[in-house]
Amino acid sequence: MSLSLSQLNALSQAAATSELLTCCTSSQWAQTLADARPFADIEALLSASDAAWQQAQTDEANLLEAFDGHPQIGNVDSLKEKYRNTQDSAAHEQSGANDAEDAVLEALAQGNQDYLDKFGFIFIVFATGKSAQQMLDLLQARLPNDRKTELVNAATEQNKITRLRLQKLLGDA
């Protein structure tokens, strides 16, 4: 569902928080952003979102809550299933994997499991416009990192995803 900015501004606190949670599943981020309304324009919303995300990421639990809202890129069965339904926003964001060879999808699935085992959360990447091979290359490049570095990397990618989802929510992407 697409909203206008004025509609988002006019929603109750609970309804606005609920809509914002479709963009990022960090409840602190969504509540902080809902509290910051009204927004004059999309740039004001995105700036407030960035600020709310900076605040939310000071607590690892908020990061993990946001990361939990994502499908795992590279789960072969779920990827193939998602691409049958191009309406799904996460599938659209991961559409670069749509034409991937099974070997690349299998390597993504294995790399994702290795990442999850090492860091305790799934691999988060702004997948829009990236091929499955590019996502695999990014995953393999980030696997040697330490957990602290990966929390920062994943938080940065999460913010890119959130900004795109906010624009989509407002029909502006």
Side-chain angles (χ1 to χ4, degrees):
M1 178 174 110
S2 186
L3 293 173
S4 69
L5 187 60
S6 60
Q7 287 171 320
L8 177 65
N9 285 336
L11 290 174
S12 69
Q13 178 73 14
T17 300
S18 178
E19 287 293 335
L20 292 169
L21 283 169
T22 68
C23 299
C24 176
T25 56
S26 164
S27 51
Q28 180 183 331
W29 170 86
Q31 290 166 0
T32 300
L33 198 54
D35 286 343
R37 294 173 305 141
F39 302 108
D41 54 34
I42 185 73
E43 286 308 315
L45 169 65
L46 294 174
S47 292
S49 172
D50 291 345
W53 183 238
Q54 284 289 16
Q55 181 183 4
Q57 62 182 305
T58 60
D59 180 0
E60 184 176 308
N62 292 321
L63 290 176
L64 297 178
E65 183 182 30
F67 302 164
D68 282 345
H70 291 276
Q72 186 170 336
I73 294 175
N75 177 306
V76 178
D77 292 333
S78 68
L79 280 177
K80 287 181 179 177
E81 183 62 31
K82 283 183 192 326
Y83 296 131
R84 286 191 200 122
N85 179 6
T86 57
Q87 301 275 349
D88 181 80
S89 65
H92 177 71
E93 291 161 10
Q94 297 175 14
S95 61
N98 203 7
D99 299 322
E101 295 179 18
D102 285 347
V104 174
L105 292 179
E106 288 168 15
L108 266 173
Q110 183 58 56
N112 244 305
Q113 190 57 54
D114 294 345
Y115 187 97
L116 180 61
D117 291 345
K118 180 174 182 178
F119 299 115
F121 55 91
I122 67 165
F123 176 64
I124 304 290
V125 64
F126 182 73
T128 301
K130 291 178 180 66
S131 70
Q133 185 62 56
Q134 289 170 315
M135 288 188 284
L136 177 60
D137 293 346
L138 287 168
L139 174 61
Q140 290 172 337
R142 286 172 49 186
L143 258 172
N145 292 337
D146 61 38
R147 190 170 193 277
K148 183 177 179 183
T149 300
E150 273 313 293
L151 282 167
V152 171
N153 286 337
T156 299
E157 296 298 300
Q158 172 68 51
N159 195 48
K160 293 176 192 175
I161 294 164
T162 299
R163 289 175 63 92
L164 178 65
R165 289 180 178 176
L166 283 168
Q167 291 169 339
K168 285 181 178 180
L169 178 69
L170 298 179
D172 203 41

